[in-house]
């Protein structure tokens, strides 16, 4: 039987290695720490979580809890360990980071079918393999990946714009129009000169997030944080993301002084992306300042803008829904490197890629959960999103298909989506068991 290489013993790689070994496969797990350190990790433990110690909400009825529920049902090792070392955090699943890393390390090291190689893997492994080398993938491996994916399909930092919940946008305050009369794809927040100047002044004065050493980035001119553009000059934003050309505000019959454009971000049209508004302002500041825009006075945000180090591939151009490379059978990419965002999503990608690979190699049958489930919807997004505008993504209700019936209250809509996901997961599991 082939030995399977797993690169990176982070959240995705540890889950994947353990799931493969649990299904009888021999695994060679490469982890470069502590021999080659990263600027962010501080231990040699597997699945070291370097940012927050929270896996997000565990409150029934939330998107984050639905994803965890599905992972628990599929026997995720990392969720088992997380539940064992959870610390009080209201309705969230937060863990003792040290115990979590130690617990995962002990389980993985203790598995007789996992051989751990504490070395940097400098180039793409032979298939079958799962690459899960994370946001700080080593330079040599990144170079090898870039040769494989094409330069344009590997990013070294993530410059994402804020995402607004559609039902919190005041439709009376925006107008729907694409530039130069080419359709109606965008929502536009129009600003007059005093509004524009006040908006800019607020950005100039806003508190910015601290920049870690590993986050120091030489910005590409095409992807500057919005506050950086604001600082360059009074009109810089009006010649960039806030340019009004080609638009006519129906309320005045004239071109606005400046606009902010919002583009639909998900299949369900629940989310809108603020085009070109990647930002390093603190989240509270983003909320306060973006709510100054006409139509966004009561906006709720599914994600705030950011600009930080993150190595990731253009997943929809490279991967299938099961995280397998379209043009290299048996080679999978998981974790943040595959363009998923969030600890639980990284674990889900490791689990799905491992179960799919095991099934290809003669292990237990596995097919992807349907897109009505959290895991299925995340997998579909990764392989199906618009590759020209791809940005890493968390699981959210907006990735699920719409319900097919109109439910006015957001709360009731979410309850219905969770019920449908549970029913869909149960039917899928039953079908898999009887296959
Ligand atoms: C700079 C930075 C950016 C982050 N960005 C995001 C983000 O955008 N979204 C998000 O959700 N979270 C982010 N995080 C938080 C957190 O790190 C991740 O969510 C999570 O750890 C990712 O899991 P992973 O399994 O993909 O990668 P990791 O947990 O980082 O695991 C990858 C492992 O691979 C190892 N490795 C790398 N290259 C090699 C190699 N060539 N050979 C052998 N081993 C190798 C690393 O040492 C590491 O242990 C970020 C953290 C940092 C420090």
């Amino acid at each position: 039987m082939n030995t399977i290489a797993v690169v990176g013993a982070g959240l995705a790689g540890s889950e994947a290695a353990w799931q493969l070994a649990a299904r009888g496969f021999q695994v060679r797990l490469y982890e470069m720490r502590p021999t080659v350190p990263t600027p962010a990790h501080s231990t040699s433990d597997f699945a070291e979580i370097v940012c927050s110690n929270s896996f997000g909400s565990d409150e029934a009825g939330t998107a984050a809890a639905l994803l965890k529920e599905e992972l628990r049902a599929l026997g995720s090792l990392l969720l088992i360990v997380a539940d064992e070392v959870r610390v009080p955090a209201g309705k969230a699943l937060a863990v003792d980071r040290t115990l979590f890393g130690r617990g995962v390390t002990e389980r993985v090291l203790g598995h007789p079918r996992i051989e751990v190689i504490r070395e940097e893997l400098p180039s793409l492994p032979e298939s079958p393999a799962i690459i899960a080398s994370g946001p700080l993938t080593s330079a040599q491996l990144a170079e090898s990946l870039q040769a494989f994916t094409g330069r344009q399909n590997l990013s070294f930092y993530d410059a994402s714009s804020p995402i607004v919940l559609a039902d919190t946008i005041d439709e009376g305050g925006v107008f729907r129009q694409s530039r130069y009369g080419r359709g109606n794809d965008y929502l536009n927040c129009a600003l007059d000169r005093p509004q524009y100047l006040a908006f800019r002044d607020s950005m100039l004065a806003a508190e910015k997030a601290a920049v870690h050493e590993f986050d120091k980035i030489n910005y590409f001119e095409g992807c500057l944080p919005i506050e950086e553009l604001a600082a360059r000059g009074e009109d810089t934003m009006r010649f960039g993301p806030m340019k009004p050309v080609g638009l006519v505000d129906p309320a005045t019959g004239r071109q606005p002084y400046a606009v902010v454009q919002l583009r639909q971000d998900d299949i369900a049209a629940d989310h809108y992306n603020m085009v070109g508004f990647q930002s390093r302002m603190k989240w509270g500041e983003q909320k306060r300042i973006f709510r100054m825009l006409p139509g966004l006075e009561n906006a709720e945000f599914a994600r705030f803008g950011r600009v930080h180090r993150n190595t990731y591939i253009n997943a929809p151009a490279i991967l299938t829904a099961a995280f397998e490379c379209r043009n290299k059978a048996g080679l999978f990419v998981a974790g943040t490197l595959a363009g998923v965002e969030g600890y639980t999503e990284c674990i889900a990608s490791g689990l799905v890629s491992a179960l799919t690979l095991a099934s290809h190699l003669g292990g237990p049958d596995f097919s992807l959960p349907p897109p009505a489930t959290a895991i299925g919807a995340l997998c579909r997004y990764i392989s199906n999103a618009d590759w020209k505008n791809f940005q890493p993504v968390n699981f959210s209700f907006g990735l699920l298909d719409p319900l097919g019936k109109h439910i006015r209250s957001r709360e009731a809509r979410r309850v219905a989506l969770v019920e449908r996901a549970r029913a869909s997961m149960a039917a899928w599991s039953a079908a898999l068991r009887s296959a």
Side-chain angles (χ1 to χ4, degrees), residues 3-208:
T3 296
I4 301 168
V6 175
V7 188
L11 296 179
S14 299
E15 180 73 43
W18 192 86
Q19 294 294 345
L20 286 163
R23 281 158 183 76
F25 294 93
Q26 199 63 42
V27 177
R28 190 166 294 142
L29 175 60
Y30 293 89
E31 172 50 60
M32 66 180 188
R33 291 178 292 117
T35 324
V36 181
T38 81
H41 294 87
S42 56
T43 73
S44 57
D45 280 344
F46 301 160
E48 178 185 335
I49 45 179
V50 297
C51 301
S52 143
N53 70 332
S54 172
F55 283 72
S57 178
D58 214 5
E59 184 179 14
T62 61
L66 179 64
L67 182 57
K68 288 188 201 67
E69 184 180 314
E70 293 181 7
L71 284 172
R72 289 185 178 112
L74 288 178
S76 158
L77 170 74
L78 269 70
L79 264 278
I80 292 173
V81 177
D83 285 334
E84 285 170 1
V85 299
R86 73 188 296 163
V87 295
K91 293 191 168 140
L93 170 59
V95 298
D96 177 315
R97 279 192 237 209
T98 310
L99 294 183
F100 178 72
R102 204 176 289 157
V104 174
T105 309
E106 280 167 7
R107 303 290 231 287
V108 172
L109 283 179
H111 202 294
R113 281 187 290 276
I114 303 178
E115 178 194 4
V116 175
I117 313 273
R118 291 275 191 180
E119 281 174 15
E120 174 187 358
L121 193 79
S123 56
L124 287 198
E126 289 299 318
S127 305
I130 298 176
I131 308 176
S133 44
L136 297 172
T137 291
S138 73
Q140 291 192 84
L141 181 59
E143 210 172 290
S144 172
L145 263 166
Q146 205 170 38
F148 172 69
T149 59
R151 185 163 290 276
Q152 71 287 2
N153 286 325
L154 186 76
S155 302
F156 290 96
Y157 69 98
D158 176 358
S160 296
S161 303
I163 291 181
V164 184
L165 298 184
D167 60 359
T168 64
I169 300 172
D170 172 11
E171 288 186 19
V174 296
F175 65 94
R176 190 174 270 285
Q177 202 176 91
S178 301
R179 290 186 203 280
Y180 307 109
R182 294 189 194 124
N184 274 324
D185 290 344
Y186 291 83
L187 296 179
N188 300 281
C189 311
L191 288 86
D192 59 23
R193 185 160 191 272
Q195 286 171 317
Y196 174 79
L197 293 179
F199 183 59
R200 174 171 178 262
D201 286 345
S202 299
M203 270 196 272
L204 296 180
E207 258 193 279
K208 319 291 181 309

